[in-house]
Amino acid sequence: MKYSSQMVAKPYFIFALILLAGEIVFGLAMGAQYLYGDFLFPAIPFNVLRMVHTNLLIVLLLFGFMGATYYLIPEESERELWSPMLAKLTFWIFAAAGVATILGYLFVPYATLSASLANSFWPTMGREFLEQPTITKVGIVLVVLSYIFNTTMTVIKGRKTTISVILLTGLFGLAFFFLFAFYVPQNLAMDKFFWWFVVHLWVEGTWELILGALLAFVLIKTTGVDREHIDKWLYLIIAMTLISGLAGTGHHFFYIGTPGYWLWIGSIASAAEPIPFFLMILFAFNMSKNRRIQHDNKIALTWAKGTAVVGFLGAGVWGFFHTLAPVNYYTHGTQLTAAHGHLSFFGAYVMICFTLISYAMPILRGRPHGNGPKSQKVELASFWMMVLGMIGLTLALTVAGIMQIEMQRLPDAAHALGFMETQAAISKVYMVRLAFGVMVLLGLLTYFYSFFVKEEKAYA
Amino acid sequence: MSERITKNMARNIYFGGGLFAILVFTGLTFDTVKQIPKLSHDDKITASVALGKKVWENNNCVGCHTIMGEGAYYAPELGNAFQRLGGGDEEVFKTYLAGWMAAQPMDIANRRKMPQFHLTPEQVTNLADFLIWTSRVNNQEWPPNIKG
Ligand code: HEM
Ligand code: HEM
Ligand SMILES: [Fe+2]
């Protein structure tokens, strides 16, 4: 660790991992309720489980990005963080607000929450992924602003690199598009249109800039390839992100009351969206092939390559499956959507957090060369358990989606099965999904265990 | 290919391509915002429809159901509930919905459960009006069939 202020990253990383465990536990609970409707009902209905699950995901990624930034920015800027105090303070505020919101979901009926003061004054609740009470949303804005301010000041006062500037651009974009969460028009079609400005323009726009910058940072550190080369790749990746991803938002504007030209524009532009993800694979593997140094933290590079590959699978391949309008006509809002949502979020964004954590945590814990070989072996096992578990879960949901489409969507009205009958017919596949989900949880527990592995003898 | 591209070229593609993409997307956004009112029959949004949307949001219905294909996949699509459950008849649909909401949760072991929301009769009417309005949005004839 070159700068003592990098230490503030540590609680962010640890908390992100704890939230991930929570997310997966709630995922498993949902997987069980899918099969046994009385499981946890009426104590926790499905919609509550789901918003805990997805909101934990969003918040854990924000914690992961913040930890990654606070670790990376001092090193890139070659100076201490502008205000470590502010970073520590916002950690506690954000963590407390996050926990309070989740407890609110679990113990207060949603209708009571939405009748709360701030939300009656400015209603923003009850939309997918944006279920947070207005007051929590305001809190998120304040936390994110303080985070961006701290980062910007550090970058301005220090060395400016391509990585830090692109990371900052991504963060400004994240903050900007979140503002659309406060716009809830009474026209549902308009509401949906702008809802995607948060959801799509986060994961297939601004977050990809963050992802690219974080990936580039770890690749520089673990391969020693020179910056000229890394920067060039990074620019190409994010150029393709913007070119395909902005108009690509149109793949959500097929069937929600938006003009018909989106059928064409959305299909064509989004068909190019796998390109930046594919470039990330070439990027990671090329840099690793041309590496100048042999970093002892091998597992960090494994995570980096894994992020590129699984991100491409989830976003690029599974995204492409349903991105053309004529296909999406049948797949829209089925288990296939959930299949894609799982592998893309995990492969691209959860895995980039693991990459940073695996690279930075050993250093923050006083092991500049990474964890010892025994610990890395355990971590490698956890890598495969989680990756294969998520791929298995995704494949199961893909089969479920195809069956759903075959039974419910393709036949004419007289022969098609209803929604609930179709779900009953798929139930065996949901068992398989649940089993792979358990494997992911075991993988995460193995990962936690790797932090506590004792090495037999001291190593340099 | 990457040997022939320099860092400067890559940066120019990023700025040029990015700016172009932003302009195109902004232009399309303005046009879409102009067209949505007509495509969705904005003038038919009565006070009851608007209140119904609030009931929908305040109870997080989208946490289980899809509406025009978006939401959760635990429970049936409701963008076309008016046709599927009300046969396209407003009175029939309102009666059906009132009965349905009152009957939850259903007492069938391990069937997926819908909670009891304790809505007032007015709220149920608002909800019905909102779903009726939604079913008439011009959304390229989606879903493929009445089952949703
Ligand atoms: C890491 C990047 C990505 C993430 C995290 C992601 C995540 C998601 C999620 C969570 C949904 C479901 C949204 C909802 O609940 O309604 C979704 C939908 C969708 N995604 Fe992605 N996605 C990514 C990249 C892509 C890419 C690159 C493509 C296209 C090549 C794509 C195509 C789609 C399509 C077409 C839908 C709509 C599915 C439907 O109609 O039901 N996604 N995505
Ligand atoms: C490992 C065990 C997991 C299980 C059993 C599980 C299960 C589920 C279930 C049942 C849903 C609701 C689907 C519906 O609406 O009907 C869901 C939604 C979702 N989960 Fe998970 N999940 C797991 C892990 C994860 C992980 C690790 C991530 C992210 C990295 C994730 C991201 C999501 C997302 C983004 C959605 C919303 C999908 C959409 O709207 O299309 N889940 N999950
Ligand atoms: Fe998208």
Side-chain angles (χ1 to χ4, degrees), chain A residues 331-349:
Chain A
T331 62
H332 185 45
T334 62
Q335 298 297 323
L336 213 61
T337 311
H340 156 69
H342 277 89
L343 202 58
S344 55
F345 257 115
F346 179 79
Y349 296 117

Side-chain angles (χ1 to χ4, degrees), chain A residues 196 199-201 203-204 245 248-249 251-252 270 273 323 340:
Chain A
W196 284 110
V199 179
H200 172 100
L201 291 176
V203 299
E204 290 155 75
T249 319
H251 62 193
H252 305 293
S270 70
E273 280 190 45
T323 209
H340 156 69

Side-chain angles (χ1 to χ4, degrees), chain A residues 30 33-39 41 45-48 50-51 110-112 114-115 119 123 125-128 131 162 166 169 177 184-197 201 209 227-229 231-233 235-236 238-240 242-244 246-250 252-263 265 279 282 286 328-335 337-338 404 408-421 423-424 430, chain B residues 1-43 45-47 49-51 53-77 79 84 100 104-117 119 123 130-131 133-135 137-148:
Chain A
M30 267 192 291
Q33 213 174 64
Y34 243 78
L35 290 160
Y36 309 103
D38 289 333
F39 181 70
F41 189 91
F46 185 84
N47 58 348
V48 175
R50 193 182 202 270
M51 68 187 172
Y110 195 76
T112 311
S114 56
N119 194 65
M125 292 175 70
R127 297 180 307 155
E128 193 190 2
E131 295 91 349
T162 305
I166 290 177
T169 313
F177 286 112
V184 189
Q186 63 173 10
N187 181 320
L188 179 68
M190 195 75 90
D191 179 350
K192 283 170 172 289
F193 180 69
F194 283 110
W195 180 81
W196 284 110
F197 278 50
L201 291 176
L209 270 59
R227 271 180 194 273
E228 274 298 297
H229 212 61
D231 290 356
K232 178 178 76 185
W233 275 94
Y235 274 125
L236 281 179
I238 60 173
M240 285 319 297
L242 296 185
I243 292 169
S244 65
L246 281 164
T249 319
H252 305 293
F253 303 155
F254 298 152
Y255 310 114
I256 59 167
T258 30
Y261 54 70
W262 286 111
L263 295 172
I265 298 174
L279 288 179
L282 296 182
N286 259 326
N328 191 262
Y329 185 67
Y330 293 101
T331 62
H332 185 45
T334 62
Q335 298 297 323
T337 311
Q404 183 181 12
Q408 184 192 323
R409 292 261 169 98
L410 287 177
D412 58 37
H415 298 94
L417 277 189
F419 178 92
M420 295 302 282
E421 294 73 38
Q423 293 299 310
Y430 291 135
Chain B
M1 66 146 193
S2 64
E3 276 60 43
R4 266 177 273 130
I5 302 176
T6 65
K7 176 175 159 185
N8 263 329
M9 285 161 73
R11 186 168 44 203
N12 290 341
I13 302 177
Y14 165 59
F15 282 118
L19 189 67
F20 176 74
I22 290 174
L23 290 178
V24 170
F25 186 67
T26 310
L28 290 168
T29 295
F30 276 101
D31 185 70
T32 301
V33 168
K34 228 167 61 197
Q35 289 205 42
I36 283 179
K38 211 167 130 229
L39 289 164
S40 60
H41 312 290
D42 196 73
D43 52 325
I45 301 182
T46 59
V49 171
L51 284 172
K53 182 166 182 278
K54 286 287 151 246
V55 177
W56 172 265
E57 287 161 3
N58 291 344
N59 293 283
N60 192 25
C61 307
V62 83
C64 291
H65 294 275
T66 48
I67 184 159
M68 288 198 254
E70 294 171 0
Y73 322 113
Y74 188 68
E77 162 71 26
R84 190 173 60 245
W100 175 267
Q104 306 306 322
M106 287 195 291
D107 193 17
I108 305 174
N110 273 324
R111 184 183 164 92
R112 292 183 191 173
K113 294 285 182 320
M114 173 159 153
Q116 175 50 250
F117 291 105
L119 301 182
Q123 285 176 317
F130 167 65
L131 291 175
W133 175 85
T134 302
S135 75
V137 171
N138 174 354
N139 70 349
Q140 319 289 335
E141 310 287 308
W142 192 88
N145 67 41
I146 191 90
K147 309 288 182 184

Side-chain angles (χ1 to χ4, degrees), chain A residues 419-432:
Chain A
F419 178 92
M420 295 302 282
E421 294 73 38
T422 306
Q423 293 299 310
I426 307 175
S427 64
K428 286 215 174 55
V429 186
Y430 291 135
M431 295 290 287
V432 178

